[in-house]
Amino acid sequence: MNITYPHVIENSIGEKIVFNELIKEPGGDKLVGESFVVPGSGPVMHTHWLQDESLTVIKGRIGYQVLGGSEQFANEGETVLFKRGVAHRFWNAGDEVLHCKAWIKPANTFAFFITSVFSAQNKSGKAQPEMFDAAYVLRRYSSEYDMTEIPKFVKKVVIPITYFTGKILGKYKHFKDAPEPVRP
């Protein structure tokens, strides 16, 4: 999948990401963009194994939490940095659309991964993505990302079975140009 910038994605639960540009930098490309989230919405607890992620609040109030920590909040002008390997989540903790400037570094496969997740959410019409597409991206990119809230049994048994069933049924033709996962 060849992504051109700006690249805009939206999911069915009120999140919109605009990837504005990919900046070549030492230590890996930096993907720069903006995030818009409706009140009460945001991604579940997840981990970027290989990337740092930064969100600077332009408008609104962000709630955030690292795994095992307490809920925290940041307001306009404040920045939240999630270091690679640290499970985290964030949400719109205000009453208006949360608007953040954001970057992730190194970009690796992030734009493809999150575009695929949003697309799978849109297929299902809810936060839980369509099962075959979810199994594909979660299995293929497990060296880069983890959805912390998914139970181990589901990760170790259900997702692989769903993936192989989808493969047999020919469900993954739309992923033919998927980038290779980054291995640490």
Side-chain angles (χ1 to χ4, degrees), residues 123-177:
K123 280 183 180 179
S124 73
K126 53 189 176 183
Q128 182 178 351
E130 185 274 332
M131 67 178 184
F132 288 110
D133 285 6
Y136 179 89
V137 296
L138 291 174
R139 183 181 176 282
R140 181 172 177 91
Y141 299 102
S142 63
S143 63
E144 294 183 69
Y145 315 101
D146 181 44
M147 302 307 288
T148 312
E149 294 182 0
I150 297 175
K152 285 186 190 257
F153 176 78
V154 173
K155 289 179 191 176
K156 299 289 185 189
V157 177
V158 176
I159 288 175
I161 290 171
T162 303
Y163 169 79
F164 286 113
T165 302
K167 193 171 183 179
I168 290 167
L169 295 174
K171 297 274 188 185
Y172 304 130
K173 292 175 184 150
H174 59 291
F175 287 122
K176 66 179 174 45
D177 296 325

Side-chain angles (χ1 to χ4, degrees), residues 78-131:
E78 296 180 308
T79 298
V80 178
L81 176 66
F82 300 112
K83 300 299 277 180
R84 63 191 74 193
V86 176
H88 62 280
R89 69 183 183 109
F90 63 89
W91 64 94
N92 181 341
D95 296 327
E96 59 189 348
V97 172
L98 172 66
H99 176 199
C100 294
K101 293 280 188 184
W103 60 259
I104 192 157
K105 182 180 176 176
N108 296 338
T109 63
F110 183 74
F112 176 83
F113 177 82
I114 199 65
T115 297
S116 298
V117 170
F118 275 29
S119 177
Q121 288 174 312
N122 292 339
K123 280 183 180 179
S124 73
K126 53 189 176 183
Q128 182 178 351
E130 185 274 332
M131 67 178 184

Side-chain angles (χ1 to χ4, degrees), residues 9-11 13-18 34-42 56-63 74-76 90-101:
I9 59 173
E10 293 184 60
N11 67 16
I13 59 169
E15 295 175 89
K16 175 181 175 181
I17 300 174
V18 179
E34 299 173 74
S35 174
F36 300 87
V37 183
V38 298
S41 195
T56 300
V57 179
I58 302 303
K59 185 174 183 181
R61 178 176 166 87
I62 190 171
N75 297 304
E76 293 177 14
F90 63 89
W91 64 94
N92 181 341
D95 296 327
E96 59 189 348
V97 172
L98 172 66
H99 176 199
C100 294
K101 293 280 188 184

